[in-house]
Amino acid sequence: MSKKRTLDGFFKPIQSKQYQPSTQTPSDHRNYPFPIPHLPPALISELGFAPTAEGKVINDQPDLDLLYFQPYIPKEAQRELFRFLRANLPFYRVQYTIKRAGVDVLVNTPRYTSVFGIDPTSIFSPDGELLDAVSRVPVPKDRYMCRPRPLPACLDFLRTIVEGTTKHTYNFCLVNYYAGGEDSIAFHSDDERFLGKDPAIASLSLGARRDFFMKRKAALPGEESVEAEPFNLPLGSGDLILMRGPTQAKWLHSVPKRKGGESEKGRINITFRRAMAKGGTENYYQYNVGTGRVYRWNEEDQKMVPWIADPMSSPSSAT
Ligand SMILES: O=C(O)CCC(=O)C(=O)O
Ligand SMILES: [Fe+2]
């Protein structure tokens, strides 16, 4: 039998030569606006009990394959984890332009977003420098237009437990914060080419319960239309849903706007994904970090406020 080297194996980084977020000191990196602390030890031990229950397979409709943990995060940890992540992660309110009928239209992303991770063509060195995954030399300045950054320890820990449960591996962590019922995500599928065929996407919800609608994509011209019922999974704090198999290719999902009620308490959604190519890095940073200002949760005002760098603290030399 010939020893076939898969593309994945080729890019597989050598564990010991890579950036490992410290669990002792706050995670820091030149592309973080501020250091991000690690989860408190008590919370880490509570999270050790995840998943709280067995996942329920939802595959009773054509090309739908979900694994639903309701909840995944133990009750005692849900609130603290939500508050910790809301308080300690940098968020963005991304604007971008799209062409509609030949005209540039400005789009305001209707929620706070953030992203961490890198595609497998590059790795972070132990001190946070971006290296080519194969040659191990620093990547040319023009490889990325964006400024990639590694997962901080708090998100890397969640990635590890979610990987253990879902049996898939992830190299990106996207974070959404829905501050209230006006914040939303429109119907879409996460089916970009850089994710490869039938990507597995693990989605963890914390905070306010929000409706998560799913509906089958319309048949393409020439394609036979398939009967499928749209449905709603009202995702509560601590719930984990794994979308896998043909789900992204054939179904759309959304979190619609809502009036008042629980939505106003805020909701965090974290998705873990595996991008296979450089285009994934570019796309994720463009749409989840962008070029605008940074926001950080203000406990006193109970809202996200533009973050202003402390002029007394020199630019972080640690990575
Ligand atoms: O907030 C959610 O539950 C869904 C988020 C989502 O679909 C996405 O980030 O692609
Ligand atoms: Fe999505």
Side-chain angles (χ1 to χ4, degrees):
M1 213 169 79
S2 74
K3 276 208 187 121
K4 211 167 127 243
R5 206 166 178 204
T6 62
L7 194 63
D8 214 38
F10 184 70
F11 284 124
K12 207 171 194 133
I14 300 158
Q15 288 302 326
S16 61
K17 294 265 181 69
Q18 266 196 83
Y19 173 88
Q20 290 283 325
S22 161
T23 53
Q24 305 306 316
T25 54
S27 304
D28 205 358
H29 186 266
R30 59 192 65 135
N31 293 337
Y32 291 173
F34 43 78
I36 303 169
H38 194 18
L39 300 165
L43 190 50
I44 293 181
S45 42
E46 281 167 357
L47 289 170
F49 291 99
T52 54
E54 233 177 86
K56 181 179 157 210
V57 175
I58 305 177
N59 60 0
D60 56 346
Q61 298 217 56
D63 302 308
L64 181 71
D65 191 358
L66 307 176
L67 183 59
Y68 188 17
F69 296 84
Q70 193 188 20
Y72 178 75
I73 302 289
K75 178 99 192 77
E76 310 70 57
Q78 289 163 12
R79 194 178 145 83
E80 198 187 344
L81 183 59
F82 167 71
R83 293 174 68 103
F84 177 92
L85 296 173
R86 180 171 66 177
N88 290 303
L89 295 176
F91 286 96
Y92 307 85
R93 203 82 193 187
V94 178
Q95 296 190 315
Y96 56 93
T97 53
I98 51 163
K99 277 230 184 304
R100 259 191 212 138
V103 182
D104 277 339
V105 181
L106 182 70
V107 178
N108 292 302
T109 303
R111 61 190 178 282
Y112 292 90
T113 55
S114 207
V115 67
F116 302 88
I118 189 73
D119 67 84
T121 66
S122 306
I123 60 159
F124 290 103
S125 75
D127 68 356
E129 194 181 2
L130 258 188
L131 306 180
D132 182 89
V134 177
S135 67
R136 304 289 162 131
V137 299
V139 301
K141 286 268 174 291
D142 59 355
R143 177 175 292 183
Y144 299 105
M145 278 157 58
C146 57
R147 295 166 59 199
R149 52 200 192 177
L151 270 67
C154 57
L155 294 177
D156 208 47
F157 178 79
L158 293 176
R159 177 188 63 83
T160 316
I161 61 170
V162 169
E163 285 188 350
T165 305
T166 61
K167 310 286 183 263
H168 288 273
T169 57
Y170 311 102
N171 54 16
F172 272 93
C173 179
L174 277 66
V175 189
N176 291 308
Y177 177 63
Y178 302 83
E182 281 298 300
D183 283 358
S184 63
I185 190 164
F187 268 115
H188 68 282
S189 61
D190 300 303
D191 60 350
E192 291 93 351
R193 277 178 62 125
F194 57 73
L195 291 172
K197 189 177 159 10
D198 293 346
I201 296 176
S203 158
L204 180 64
S205 296
L206 292 159
R209 186 178 294 279
R210 290 289 296 261
D211 287 339
F212 181 75
F213 283 156
M214 294 203 73
K215 67 175 183 190
R216 206 171 194 280
K217 290 184 185 175
L220 295 170
E223 223 178 50
E224 206 180 313
S225 83
V226 174
E227 284 279 315
E229 274 303 307
F231 62 98
N232 177 21
L233 296 172
L235 298 177
S237 195
D239 288 2
L240 177 77
I241 184 144
L242 177 70
M243 298 181 267
R244 62 187 175 185
T247 307
Q248 298 301 334
K250 301 292 185 186
W251 288 77
L252 301 168
H253 53 273
S254 72
V255 176
K257 292 192 195 312
R258 285 289 174 255
K259 282 232 155 42
E262 188 176 338
S263 310
E264 300 311 308
K265 293 190 199 147
R267 169 179 185 262
I268 285 179
N269 174 263
I270 297 175
T271 50
F272 295 102
R273 310 160 185 228
R274 178 159 189 83
M276 320 282 254
K278 182 181 152 275
T281 300
E282 222 65 273
N283 177 296
Y284 283 154
Y285 285 91
Q286 180 183 354
Y287 292 110
N288 295 282
V289 169
T291 54
R293 64 203 317 183
V294 182
Y295 289 83
R296 189 174 185 178
W297 179 253
N298 183 299
E299 190 57 31
E300 211 171 306
D301 298 346
Q302 290 287 298
K303 62 176 189 194
M304 291 288 169
V305 296
W307 183 80
I308 300 150
D310 178 359
M312 296 310 283
S313 74
S314 56
S316 128
S317 56
T319 50

